[in-house]
Amino acid sequence: MSEDFYLAETKPIDHDNRVDEGIRGCLRIGSGKSFITFAGAGSGKTYSLKEALDFLKKEHSGNFIRQGKQIAVVTFTNNAADEIVDRIEQHPIFAVSTIHSFCWSAIAGFNEDIRKWYLEKIPSDLAEIENVESRGRKGKASEVRKRTITRLKEKMNWLAEPRSFIYDPNGVNSAKNALSHTDVLKLFSSFLTNKPMMAEVIVNKFPFIFIDESQDTNKDVVRAFFELQRAKSNKVVIGLFGDMMQRIFGGGESELGNTKPSDWTTFNKEMNHRSARRIVALGNQIRSEDDKRKQFSRDGAANGYVRYFLLSHGISNKDEIEARIREVMAKVTGDTGWTDTKSKDTAILLLEHKMVGRRLGFSDLWNKLEQSDRIKDRISKGENSELNFFSNIVFPMSEASRNERRAELMSILRENNSPLLEASVLDANKNDPLVLARNAEHAFRDAISDEKVSFRIVLEVLAKHNLLRIPPKLQTYVVTSKESESESEPKQMGAILRIESEAEEQDDSEITAWAEALETDFFQIRNYNDYINENSIFRTHQGVKGNEFERVMVIMDDDEAGGFLFSYEQYFGVKELSNISKKKQNEGEETGLERTRRLFYVTSTRAKNSLAHVIYTSDVAKVKDNLIEKKFAREDEIIEF
């Protein structure tokens, strides 16, 4: 095969300017021209969004400010929102937020409508659980179902009177009126579709709405926006930006390009401004098995490097071998940055968080938590409230306490509504309002002075001294008996812990996972924080979407990952699809093969100049043949280690 096949064709840097011109042609109130822009890896999706925003600012800033109108930019994550804010000039006509925050801002205050929505929804949920309970076995699962039934009935009684509702983005608030992420999205989709008043309010406030990472945005929300544009096409323009090949998270619209309304305009960005020609060509070849979209490299782009390192399963000294592979890449590319483990321009991508945990030192915690598929799934999306409680609140508080940073400590307590800072507590101790908070912090500091202190001990100290509100699902693991309370401690703790959680009830696996995880060392959370705050070179395959690095090593090891959503062994032809997967494939349903292909594309296109794929496999020869057959690799790019 010609050498040119493995190098992407090049085009002038302005090749996609026609797309930005086409988008500008839609940006007129009353145009009726809403649009979807499909933008592959490195294509400058955020650049096109910024160009559209700059154009609208010039056209409408004066009128919009006078009329109280804004341009909404809705993103999938806080990081994405921060990136857009960094790219655009701060201006009052731009409202940048996550999808959850946008949806909550739209439904906030519709208290009676929210109450009625729950009154219509809960009876069907209740009937379903009662049906399962009538046919199910006794045991822990039955006890959980019975608690859920009791909770739902109490919720129905509570909803009999008018109520007000709040949004709890961190999942810490256990109050009955706190709405979860999931319910906020469901409520918004329902209201936007069925309540003309809400649709009118939104289009009057936001004549232009842009949705970033639309492939991962909740499908019900996307369909609600489609319906909004259909009903109000003379008042609103909606623009979606995304790439179906980079759809990683569940809940998105899997057929977005096909399900869009027929009168929407579609734009395709074809350039890859990020990567060297060899890497762009690999991305094109991966897509040739899927949507067949093709990208061009920019004129003058370097050729770049791709290498595949094949190793057998069962190797014990992986860290040492992976270090040697980085040394080989340094020699191949002439880039000594490959051996710098602190470089921000290098990323090592692992399939599962637990693989990072082993390398960074939080594996005990992770191995316990991943016993529950529900916990594992939520952590992968950054949505596990309990782990976020330890990571985002308790650990920063421990650092502030250990280092006697009093102002920071008080800020954390205030931001998280510490019960010890409530007016009633302060008033009860007028001579020294902070005496209880100070005593509680001293007890907390005593506990964390032990580097081997467990999560359970830390949690019990927080609960006993009422220093923080404990997330609902962790409340069952702390002592709440009156005997544990001294006369000098505030009495509201028991009440706080007895509030029924409005989050989903725990299943058996969650109960077991957290019970065991709480017995592990608390200060693993320090290493976990380094990881999630991107203070190491390790990332997960899923979590790296949207990022770019000079050099990337992708580690594919199904055995160590132990997951079931992705299988590189299947993708590279070592294992056959299961009968269930074959049936799904025949019926047009998604299988792990499609998910793995998209993941392989995402990881392969993060690198600017050099890319190393490290594949642990049960059949090195078969993987090698498959890579060559699929034209993912030339023979001289494959190294058997």
Side-chain angles (χ1 to χ4, degrees):
M1 172 135 329
S2 168
E3 179 78 12
D4 290 344
F5 176 85
Y6 293 95
L7 297 174
E9 186 181 346
T10 63
K11 292 284 185 183
I13 190 173
D14 61 358
H15 176 72
D16 277 338
N17 284 6
R18 56 188 171 77
V19 172
D20 297 323
E21 292 168 4
I23 291 173
R24 283 196 296 272
C26 297
L27 301 181
R28 189 180 73 256
I29 298 173
S31 71
K33 293 182 179 179
S34 289
F35 61 91
I36 299 180
T37 300
F38 290 106
S43 61
K45 175 195 62 169
T46 305
Y47 174 84
S48 291
L49 175 57
K50 180 182 181 300
E51 287 286 291
L53 294 174
D54 287 344
F55 173 78
L56 289 173
K57 184 177 69 174
K58 291 176 184 176
E59 293 287 312
H60 298 290
S61 59
N63 287 337
F64 277 18
I65 290 174
R66 284 191 296 272
Q67 297 168 7
K69 298 180 184 293
Q70 290 184 297
I71 299 159
V73 184
V74 183
T75 69
F76 190 70
T77 63
N78 287 314
N79 286 342
D82 292 342
E83 180 186 355
I84 291 170
V85 169
D86 288 343
R87 295 278 193 98
I88 63 175
E89 182 183 344
Q90 294 288 339
H91 200 282
I93 65 167
F94 297 138
V96 183
S97 64
T98 65
I99 185 65
H100 295 93
S101 296
F102 180 85
C103 291
W104 168 244
S105 68
I107 66 173
F110 284 78
N111 293 308
E112 186 59 17
D113 295 292
I114 294 172
R115 185 176 77 94
K116 290 178 179 178
W117 183 84
Y118 274 116
L119 287 172
E120 292 174 0
K121 178 179 179 292
I122 290 176
S124 61
D125 293 344
L126 190 57
E128 183 178 344
I129 295 172
E130 287 177 332
N131 181 47
V132 173
E133 174 61 17
S134 67
R135 297 181 289 103
R137 296 180 178 180
K138 304 299 181 184
K140 288 186 178 180
S142 175
E143 292 173 6
V144 169
R145 287 193 294 269
K146 288 176 180 176
R147 287 199 301 271
T148 303
I149 290 169
T150 299
R151 177 178 61 83
L152 291 176
K153 288 180 177 179
E154 290 179 353
K155 182 72 173 280
M156 287 290 289
N157 292 333
W158 181 80
L159 289 165
E161 298 177 10
R163 301 291 182 181
S164 61
F165 296 86
I166 62 173
Y167 173 43
D168 178 29
N170 296 317
V172 173
N173 197 321
S174 61
K176 283 182 167 64
N177 66 337
L179 303 182
S180 67
H181 284 322
T182 302
D183 279 356
V184 165
L185 298 183
K186 289 178 179 177
L187 282 158
F188 173 81
S189 303
S190 174
F191 289 4
L192 189 59
T193 303
N194 301 311
K195 295 187 179 300
M197 181 187 296
M198 174 169 287
E200 192 68 23
V201 168
I202 285 181
V203 298
N204 285 335
K205 177 70 174 177
F206 303 111
F208 298 95
I209 301 172
F210 298 115
I211 303 175
D212 192 24
E213 300 291 358
S214 54
Q215 76 279 353
D216 284 323
T217 303
N218 178 273
K219 62 184 177 184
D220 292 330
V221 172
V222 170
R223 291 170 184 175
F225 276 117
F226 285 160
E227 180 59 26
L228 175 68
Q229 194 276 338
R230 186 198 65 77
K232 304 288 183 180
S233 61
N234 63 326
K235 290 188 174 183
V236 67
V237 173
I238 300 175
L240 273 58
F241 294 82
D243 178 18
M244 295 308 295
M245 196 66 183
Q246 298 186 68
R247 182 168 59 87
I248 297 300
F249 302 104
E253 176 58 82
S254 60
E255 298 292 332
L256 186 58
N258 300 323
T259 57
K260 71 175 179 63
S262 58
D263 59 343
W264 281 48
T265 303
T266 298
F267 298 107
N268 294 299
K269 301 202 73 174
E270 297 179 336
M271 291 295 292
N272 185 315
H273 299 279
R274 170 190 300 155
S275 301
R277 295 177 66 191
R278 176 68 190 96
I279 295 167
V280 176
L282 173 59
N284 289 340
Q285 191 60 18
I286 297 169
R287 294 191 85 133
S288 70
E289 299 179 324
D290 196 279
D291 61 11
K292 298 180 172 55
R293 292 181 187 272
K294 183 179 179 181
Q295 288 188 308
F296 303 103
S297 294
R298 60 198 298 178
D299 283 348
N303 285 356
Y305 303 87
V306 174
R307 293 292 185 272
Y308 297 84
F309 296 85
L310 308 187
L311 305 96
S312 296
H313 279 321
I315 293 174
S316 58
N317 57 335
K318 292 178 182 177
D319 294 352
E320 178 186 331
I321 288 176
E322 289 161 15
R324 284 168 49 201
I325 289 173
R326 293 198 298 276
E327 291 173 0
V328 171
M329 287 300 297
K331 291 178 181 177
V332 167
T333 63
D335 178 4
T336 57
W338 269 104
T339 57
D340 180 5
T341 58
K342 300 295 184 182
S343 173
K344 293 291 186 181
D345 287 326
T346 304
I348 299 176
L349 310 185
L350 298 146
L351 187 55
E352 290 285 352
H353 297 281
K354 75 171 186 179
M355 297 169 69
V356 183
R358 184 185 66 76
R359 290 163 172 82
L360 287 183
F362 56 88
S363 58
D364 285 349
L365 170 66
W366 199 270
N367 290 343
K368 302 301 184 184
L369 290 178
E370 75 160 1
Q371 295 178 81
S372 167
D373 289 336
R374 182 183 289 182
I375 292 178
K376 184 178 178 181
D377 177 60
R378 287 176 177 170
I379 290 176
S380 69
K381 300 175 184 176
E383 295 176 357
N384 186 269
S385 301
E386 296 74 41
L387 189 56
N388 289 346
F389 169 71
F390 285 116
S391 175
N392 299 338
I393 300 173
V394 182
F395 177 68
M397 192 170 76
S398 73
E399 292 293 277
S401 179
R402 282 158 61 100
N403 292 286
E404 298 187 2
R405 298 194 293 262
R406 301 299 179 196
E408 182 181 342
L409 183 64
M410 287 300 295
S411 176
I412 293 171
L413 293 176
R414 288 194 187 97
E415 287 176 6
N416 294 282
N417 301 314
S418 170
L420 297 184
L421 299 184
E422 290 182 357
S424 60
V425 177
L426 300 178
D427 289 344
N429 298 276
K430 289 183 179 180
N431 292 335
D432 187 357
L434 295 179
V435 62
L436 295 181
R438 192 164 51 251
N439 292 341
E441 189 265 330
H442 288 165
F444 175 68
R445 195 191 318 162
D446 285 345
I448 60 175
S449 64
D450 178 4
E451 279 288 330
K452 293 297 182 180
V453 67
S454 69
F455 282 92
R456 180 184 295 281
I457 296 299
V458 171
L459 189 66
E460 287 180 348
V461 169
L462 295 174
K464 177 182 177 182
H465 295 277
N466 215 5
L467 194 55
L468 289 173
R469 295 181 185 275
I470 308 300
K473 288 185 179 179
L474 293 177
Q475 291 176 5
T476 56
Y477 302 99
V478 295
V479 176
T480 62
S481 66
K482 292 182 180 179
E483 290 77 12
S484 69
E485 300 177 8
S486 71
E487 290 300 314
S488 63
E489 292 170 342
K491 297 298 183 180
Q492 73 231 36
M493 189 59 202
I496 291 171
L497 291 178
R498 285 194 291 272
I499 291 174
E500 287 290 341
S501 165
E502 296 311 318
E504 284 184 90
E505 290 284 352
Q506 291 171 290
D507 62 20
D508 288 357
S509 67
E510 283 186 283
I511 294 169
T512 301
W514 269 113
E516 296 184 5
L518 289 174
E519 301 301 334
T520 66
D521 291 350
F522 168 73
F523 281 105
Q524 290 175 93
I525 205 71
R526 179 189 292 125
N527 301 326
Y528 172 75
N529 259 27
D530 282 343
Y531 165 54
I532 60 171
N533 291 326
E534 299 184 353
N535 292 326
S536 77
I537 60 175
F538 295 106
R539 308 281 193 279
T540 59
H541 291 199
Q542 301 92 324
V544 79
K545 184 165 68 71
N547 296 140
E548 58 182 41
F549 306 90
E550 192 66 31
R551 54 199 79 83
V552 172
M553 174 188 282
V554 186
I555 296 177
M556 290 165 273
D557 189 342
D558 289 354
D559 269 14
E560 186 179 1
F564 60 89
L565 292 175
F566 308 99
S567 174
Y568 284 105
E569 289 283 78
Q570 284 185 351
Y571 184 60
F572 293 127
V574 175
K575 290 183 179 179
E576 287 192 9
L577 286 176
S578 67
N579 290 333
I580 293 175
S581 293
K582 288 178 181 177
K583 182 181 178 183
K584 285 184 177 181
Q585 198 173 57
N586 292 335
E587 294 174 352
E589 295 182 35
E590 182 176 86
T591 69
L593 195 63
E594 288 77 38
R595 289 191 293 269
T596 306
R597 180 187 297 125
R598 294 199 301 271
L599 206 59
F600 186 52
Y601 174 80
V602 168
T603 57
S604 296
T605 54
R606 299 308 96 194
K608 294 180 182 179
N609 190 60
S610 53
L611 171 68
H613 281 305
V614 180
I615 306 174
Y616 293 90
T617 176
S618 60
D619 194 330
V620 168
K622 190 166 284 188
V623 170
K624 180 177 180 179
D625 291 343
N626 187 274
L627 291 171
I628 294 171
E629 181 184 344
K630 287 177 176 284
K631 301 182 180 62
F632 291 162
R634 301 189 304 259
E635 190 158 359
D636 64 346
E637 292 177 326
I638 300 174
I639 301 169
E640 296 182 39
F641 236 69

